[in-house]
Amino acid sequence: MSEKILVIGELQQGVLRKVSYETIAAAKQLNANAEILALVLGDGDLQQPAEEMIHYGADRVVTVSHANLSNYTSEGYGQVIMEVMQDEKPSGMIMGHTSVGKDVTPKIASRLELGLISDAVAIEKEDDQVLFTRPIYSGKAFEKKVMKGEGLLFATIRPNNISALEPDASRTGDITAKEVDVKDLRTIVKEVIRKKTEGVDLSEAKIVIAGGRGVKSAEGFNALYELADLLGGAVGASRGACDADYCDYSLQIGQTGKVVTPDLYIAVGISGAIQHMAGMSNSKVIVAINSDEEANIFKMADYGIVGDLFEVLPLFIEELKLQGALVS
Amino acid sequence: MNIYVLLKKTFDTEEAISVSGGRIDESGAEFIINPYDEYAVEEAIQQRDQHGGTVTVVTIGDEDSEKQLRTALAMGADEAVLINTSEDLDEGDQFTTAKILEAFFEGKEVDLILAGNVAIDEASGQVGPRLAERLNMPFITTIVKLDIEDEMAKIEKDVEGDLEKIEVSMPVLVTCQQGLNEPRYTSLPGIMKAKKKPLEQLELDDLDLDEDEVEAKTATISIFLPPKKQAGRILVGETGEQVKELVSLLSSEAKVI
Ligand SMILES: Cc1cc2nc3c(=O)[nH]c(=O)nc-3n(C[C@H](O)[C@H](O)[C@H](O)COP(=O)(O)OP(=O)(O)OC[C@H]3O[C@@H](n4cnc5c(N)ncnc54)[C@H](O)[C@@H]3O)c2cc1C
Ligand SMILES: Cc1cc2nc3c(=O)[nH]c(=O)nc-3n(C[C@H](O)[C@H](O)[C@H](O)COP(=O)(O)OP(=O)(O)OC[C@H]3O[C@@H](n4cnc5c(N)ncnc54)[C@H](O)[C@@H]3O)c2cc1C
């Protein structure tokens, strides 16, 4: 266990994001024999998320709690992560490609003059080299990248692509609270306006029902919510639907919005613009419901229904109810 | 205010992608200003019009990048700088790009740098934060609103759909997200004026850099297209039948519900 890989447990309103567990699985793919060290940072009692990281496969956890970490700032998080890196000298580091991960990792890479591979969807080993696969050109192509030289294996991973390990509640490991004086922040977060809706987190959902301009109104989205409830999924949207005020921008999927990789993506009244595809093209199974048989979304779809969504959705809901306990 | 915009030229969004010789085939492709950098150019112009100063657009690229710089000048930027690396470097990554930009900014008086939050081709989103860190400047990514008062920037930042209201001291680097503004179209008089605006060309030598210092930290070893998706199955029959079939396919064939 000479080598060490550092992963970051990312908290969102006190709860670990699922991608945190995936970073542990990714770390094991870098080096199956390395010690996996997790850093959990925030403000308050971090014992529970620390234990969860261990259940999901981390060997040891360092927690850092500080009032200046209650809201994310690149400076606050940057100071803590770099201090832990200095203490622990890991040979690899993995974080989720989330709003926070995208923001803080290039700062660290730049300060320490490191390479960084962002938004990896797969990791493999070939002759002792670690290859990271990442989408480019809005998902129209992929590239495999490697670190040159001996530097830190440093990457962010796209949520929902590398499966987390099965949790084991009997696993134990050392949890140490570390003091870091988080200071000299030039950035102040004054207010956070949360727009997230209740229920399953869109970027982590296994099933996503997304509506577009074709849904035609906010009321039209009710059928999507009902479907999502039945399937245990989350509702998303295209830019078109958000711009038309049928739903909040926090539901937007695509290049500008959330990037999702669910097992099942149902696109309802969405044409399939490239900027939308950039956010969902990696989904495992894609269903399109659209009245225009020429719509681009059908090129991506595994299953398509050419038809009026206002006719299809009620039947879909009825059929699911009929099938009874299908809820996953 | 001295306002700088970082601009990358990218493949036109609608271009089909093909790979030849292990690289993305660029022959005949249309290039555009990276869409998120258009928001940056627009915001820079609006901030200048409000607070005074100059807008300088900077790109690292080749001779052809002049086209995108002229477009930014036609939108209303004042000056442009093309750092042409085509003679000196074959390979580069985000480290390379940030390092070159760092050298460019050395010794310059800067109040505000605007970048795109992501380039739609390689899409790492690293360049803005990397540069800010080298310049020891705070940075805020994915902004959707910017108000500058005295030496403070009041910013609204998109955080996966949530909104953060942030205050940060100037100088600052920000990266732009859709929703910040509506980029203007260029006008004929704008295009005419742009032809006469200053466009400075630099090479690595002019920045006192040698190739070793900017050597990439990562390498791309292959590029490939996603496996061709089998033609999807368009269901047929009465709508009711189609829906029944879909539910059955999703549960027994695809096993996702
Ligand atoms: C820089 C930039 C970034 C962008 N980022 C994003 C992004 O992150 N996400 C995003 O989604 N877009 C993004 N866009 C916008 C994108 O280009 C498209 O404009 C948008 O995705 C279109 O939304 P839509 O498919 O809902 O609307 P439309 O293209 O109008 O499609 C509506 C569809 O509904 C179908 N329809 C209509 N009525 C019915 C009915 N009764 N039954 C069934 N089907 C019906 C129509 O056939 C049509 O295909 C971006 C654009 C730019 C320039
Ligand atoms: C000398 C050199 C050689 C290169 N060779 C190759 C190659 O062989 N193959 C290859 O695939 N790529 C090559 N690149 C490109 C490089 O890999 C990245 O594309 C580049 O570092 C930008 O990263 P990104 O696309 O992830 O941009 P992001 O980090 O996503 O871009 C964010 C923002 O940074 C700014 N920005 C990004 N790039 C530039 C730029 N060039 N000039 C000004 N501002 C910019 C823009 O505001 C942009 O919106 C080379 C780059 C250089 C400098």
Side-chain angles (χ1 to χ4, degrees), chain A residues 42-72:
Chain A
D43 178 24
D45 183 4
L46 303 174
Q47 184 68 19
Q48 196 194 332
E51 282 172 12
E52 279 174 35
M53 290 300 275
I54 289 177
H55 296 165
Y56 275 89
D59 297 305
R60 185 159 65 86
V61 181
V62 172
T63 62
V64 178
S65 175
H66 193 286
N68 282 346
L69 297 174
S70 64
N71 284 308
Y72 166 82

Side-chain angles (χ1 to χ4, degrees), chain A residues 103 110 134 140 193 303, chain B residues 15 122 134 141 163 253:
Chain A
D103 203 81
S110 187
R134 57 186 301 276
K140 285 191 268 192
I193 303 167
Y303 306 109
Chain B
E15 289 281 346
E122 277 180 77
R134 300 311 305 175
T141 54
L163 203 65
E253 187 178 272

Side-chain angles (χ1 to χ4, degrees), chain A residues 211-216 237-243 252-258 268-279 289-297 305-312, chain B residues 13-14 34-36 39 120 177-178:
Chain A
R213 211 189 302 271
V215 177
K216 294 195 174 71
S238 70
R239 180 85 188 179
C242 300
D243 280 343
Q252 185 181 329
I253 290 168
Q255 199 168 69
T256 322
K258 294 197 164 79
V268 184
I270 291 177
S271 61
I274 182 65
Q275 298 92 347
H276 186 76
M277 304 287 223
I289 302 170
N290 197 305
S291 51
D292 173 10
E293 60 179 331
E294 301 287 320
N296 199 43
I297 191 80
I305 293 185
V306 180
D308 180 358
L309 68 93
F310 298 102
E311 194 188 332
V312 175
Chain B
T13 320
E14 302 301 330
N34 179 44
Y36 297 94
Y39 300 123
I120 63 169
Q177 167 70 315
Q178 190 175 36

Side-chain angles (χ1 to χ4, degrees), chain A residues 92-210:
Chain A
M93 178 166 147
I94 308 276
M95 191 166 180
H97 197 64
T98 59
S99 178
V100 167
K102 284 179 214 179
D103 203 81
V104 76
T105 53
K107 175 187 169 82
I108 295 167
S110 187
R111 169 65 37 197
L112 305 176
E113 303 221 316
L114 298 169
L116 167 63
I117 296 171
S118 302
D119 200 19
V121 294
I123 297 172
E124 67 202 290
K125 281 187 111 166
E126 209 177 86
D127 315 327
D128 271 357
Q129 266 211 121
V130 182
L131 274 47
F132 297 87
T133 302
R134 57 186 301 276
I136 51 175
Y137 293 82
S138 313
K140 285 191 268 192
F142 290 84
E143 66 177 351
K144 288 192 182 183
K145 292 205 86 170
V146 295
M147 283 293 168
K148 285 167 78 173
E150 298 284 280
L152 183 83
L153 286 169
F154 191 7
T156 60
I157 57 167
R158 181 179 285 200
N160 252 357
N161 280 269
I162 295 169
S163 305
L165 308 172
E166 279 301 316
D168 172 358
S170 67
R171 280 191 96 238
T172 54
D174 189 33
I175 299 173
T176 335
K178 179 179 161 62
E179 298 275 324
V180 179
D181 188 13
V182 184
K183 55 175 195 228
D184 301 331
L185 305 185
R186 291 169 292 187
T187 319
I188 309 162
V189 178
K190 287 288 198 187
E191 193 186 347
V192 184
I193 303 167
R194 303 216 184 265
K195 304 256 181 93
K196 293 208 178 75
T197 38
E198 302 271 303
V200 186
D201 182 345
L202 181 53
S203 44
E204 298 179 345
K206 289 286 175 205
I207 296 182
V208 173
I209 325 290

